[in-house]
Amino acid sequence: MAKAIQKIILSASRDIPFSKLVLSQSNVRRLKAGVSIEDLAGDIARRGLLQSLNVRPVLDAEGAETGMFEIPAGGRRYRALERLVKQKRLARTAPIPCIVRDPTVEISAEEDSLAENIQRVALHPLDQFRAFKVLRDQGAGEEEIAARFFVAPAVVKQRLRLASVSEKLLGIYAEDGMTLDQLMAFTVTTDHARQEQVWEALQQSYDKEPYLIRRQLTESAVRASDRRARFVGLDAYKAAGGAVLRDLFEEDNGGWLQDMALLDRLATEKLAAEAEKIAGEGWKWIEVAVDFRYGHAHHLRRLDGVEVELTPEEQATFDALTAEQAKFEGEYEGADELPDEIDARLGEIEEALAALESRPVHYEPAEIARAGVFVSIDANGRLAADRGYVRPEDEPVPAGSEDPAADEIGGVGEAAPAAFAQRTVITIGGDQPEDDGDDEAIKPLPERLVSELTAHRTLALRDAVANNPQVAFTALLHKLCLDTFRHSVPGACLEASVRHVFFPAQSADLKDSSSAKAVADRHEAWKAELPKEEDGLWDWLAALDDSRRVALLAHCVSFGVNALYEKGDGYGGPGVSAHGVQQRIAQADRLARAVGLDMVEAGWRPTVDNYLGRVTKPRILEAVREAKGDQAAQLIDHLKKTEMAKEAERLLDGTGWLPEPLRLADSADMPDTPADPAEELPAFLAGGEGGVTADESEPLPIAAE
């Protein structure tokens, strides 16, 4: 005969007045966690008690019920109800729904309390995201949802953004095929097709890190910190219909502007409008560009204007700001960190002082009529109007010229009417990367790239020579000896000269390099000291002490430094021969050794734009292999060209690696023994037993909090 199945009897549910309930010392929860008691009380007041209390009768010494009930499971709910009673929002005799346990059962109160807490299963984060979306679809605003569930509005925005990712990717996340950090990265864009495309591409790579997902989703966009974006302004860009990608989970510094064509058009239009205003000053020409190449004005003469002095009101403001700045600096001289309000105020003072110190320059009307202005955007996203440049063809003609038209322009008489010739130029620098196909051979570097690299080296070498008068003196004497003893040619009083060398091929970042800035600053400092009239130059030079005279000599000599690579003329033409280029580079190496030039210290770093994106895949792998070893190269050799170049830029950062044109011919720039890649590479690339797996890492935060 089959044994009868014993039926389960559940504990009875009943309403017990609040005044009959007390906390039990058998409750295993001791530490505060989750929603605060205050917030829980507010939630109960709004929607009522969603879960009954688990209680047991309190027995007296003889085992009889006393009419009171203790709560081993539900203590936080009791505390919240108690707070409502104290606030007079709930009566002390209000009935509270409870599950009453039989005191004679074998299961202890501690076990009940533990079971209720550890058997509770939290919502999957995706369920939270979708639930928030349902509430919004039902008409609740983000602020209202945040208030209901006691989270910050930013958290609601994050969860709603996560719920808006492609349903295909959400399904992958639900099946644990994607981490929460990866899902967060996909929220940068709302383009579901692009999200899915990037995820599919990542399946062919070992590298699925969130930063790479963000980079691929934003590679065709412009950062809000870009000079064009700061110049145009996000409000103007959005008003024109431009879209901005935002990252709600990491600091994005304003996000990414998606429509580059629109941004360029708005920047050019705003520059042109500013140029129209400047044209009212009477300049003959104005050139407008988002950015100008390094040395764009070297062939032009700069007018010597007169700086407008501060007005009494401006001088008073300047003095007051300077005193306030000195006061703050004195008060917080020994402080490790400034208070936020003081730091902000000092920033305002510095900005105001800089504006007062940047004085406008006054030019004579006759000079304005033959000169022009370069209008562009500076590195900080502000308007840059560089006034007072005269083209060679606009120089004044000496008296008695036979060209009547030249007399009209260059004479001492009335200035010609100013003419505004606007030419909007948008410069896009750099060559397109070569298609390396499947060829694994290491091909020679493109000649254009070598020219750009050696332009960087030439500029750095100029700066180094100018800072080493002894070497500059030797270089000049070397040149004079060659002219005197080998190639002496009859000429004027003294034929020794320095021919300023320009850079026909240059990368976009050349003019922003530290070498370019150092050369320009030093040049302007000397120029400000030189006499305005040529007749007084000799006396001024004769009065200089030896140290300053040698320093000026070094500066002047440095402008003749030419370490540029160029294609040699093999047909006996006027250009330099291939042998001449070789001699130039060899002498540049000697000069670089003499001044101790280090292109790494000069600020050059391999990037996608200046090298890695311009060479073949074997060249990229060669660079990584030289700097980091074979293992690092093997970890990226499966990637496509674009991804390989980006990953190589990250791997080479800080290694001090240089391409051949930037190395000395007889020097070893690379370390003898490459660093162990496993020690420096991130876990997702290093792999192996030492790498940190997903199971070993810290648990992911729920709902991106």
Side-chain angles (χ1 to χ4, degrees), residues 275-532:
E276 289 283 0
K277 299 176 184 177
I278 297 172
E281 300 172 11
W283 299 99
K284 182 174 182 180
W285 53 267
I286 296 178
E287 287 193 17
V288 179
V290 171
D291 193 16
F292 288 106
R293 293 162 59 89
Y294 174 78
H296 67 281
H298 283 174
H299 63 292
L300 306 180
R301 178 172 66 89
R302 184 74 180 270
L303 294 178
D304 294 322
V306 179
E307 191 173 275
V308 178
E309 295 183 358
L310 292 170
T311 65
E313 293 79 8
E314 290 174 331
Q315 184 64 52
T317 302
F318 183 87
D319 294 340
L321 290 173
T322 303
E324 185 180 1
Q325 183 184 48
K327 175 188 173 185
F328 286 140
E329 290 176 351
E331 290 178 357
Y332 297 95
E333 183 177 1
D336 295 333
E337 189 174 351
L338 294 175
D340 291 341
E341 62 276 7
I342 300 299
D343 189 40
R345 178 54 185 161
L346 281 174
E348 295 172 358
I349 292 174
E350 290 175 2
E351 187 174 346
L353 288 175
L356 288 171
E357 290 173 346
S358 179
R359 306 301 300 156
V361 180
H362 172 74
Y363 301 96
E364 294 297 328
E367 293 179 327
I368 290 178
R370 67 169 63 94
V373 185
F374 292 102
V375 177
S376 61
I377 306 172
D378 69 13
N380 296 316
R382 295 190 291 261
L383 178 70
D386 208 5
R387 294 171 169 83
Y389 289 91
V390 181
R391 293 169 173 164
E393 60 269 25
D394 294 329
E395 290 288 1
V397 179
S401 169
E402 297 179 359
D403 185 354
D407 283 338
E408 292 177 7
I409 297 175
V412 186
E414 186 177 351
F420 172 60
Q422 176 179 322
R423 182 165 64 89
T424 303
V425 178
I426 300 178
T427 304
I428 304 176
D431 296 336
Q432 294 297 323
E434 293 185 352
D435 184 9
D436 53 296
D438 296 327
D439 190 1
E440 295 300 322
I442 297 181
K443 301 177 181 178
L445 294 175
E447 291 184 352
R448 167 86 185 194
L449 176 58
V450 177
S451 297
E452 292 182 6
L453 292 174
T454 53
H456 270 282
R457 189 186 188 210
T458 299
L459 202 55
L461 196 52
R462 282 184 187 175
D463 186 37
V465 168
N467 284 296
N468 196 322
Q470 189 65 32
V471 172
F473 188 88
T474 303
L476 177 60
L477 188 58
H478 176 263
K479 171 66 168 57
L480 294 177
C481 288
L482 290 177
D483 290 346
T484 302
F485 299 103
R486 298 186 182 180
H487 305 289
S488 180
V489 178
C493 176
L494 181 63
E495 286 292 342
S497 63
V498 175
R499 183 175 64 85
H500 194 149
V501 180
F502 299 100
F503 308 127
Q506 59 179 264
S507 56
D509 62 341
L510 181 65
K511 73 182 187 63
D512 293 324
S513 65
S514 58
S515 300
K517 294 175 182 176
V519 170
D521 291 345
R522 185 169 49 251
H523 189 73
E524 290 302 317
W526 278 115
K527 184 178 179 181
E529 288 194 51
L530 260 63
K532 304 298 182 184

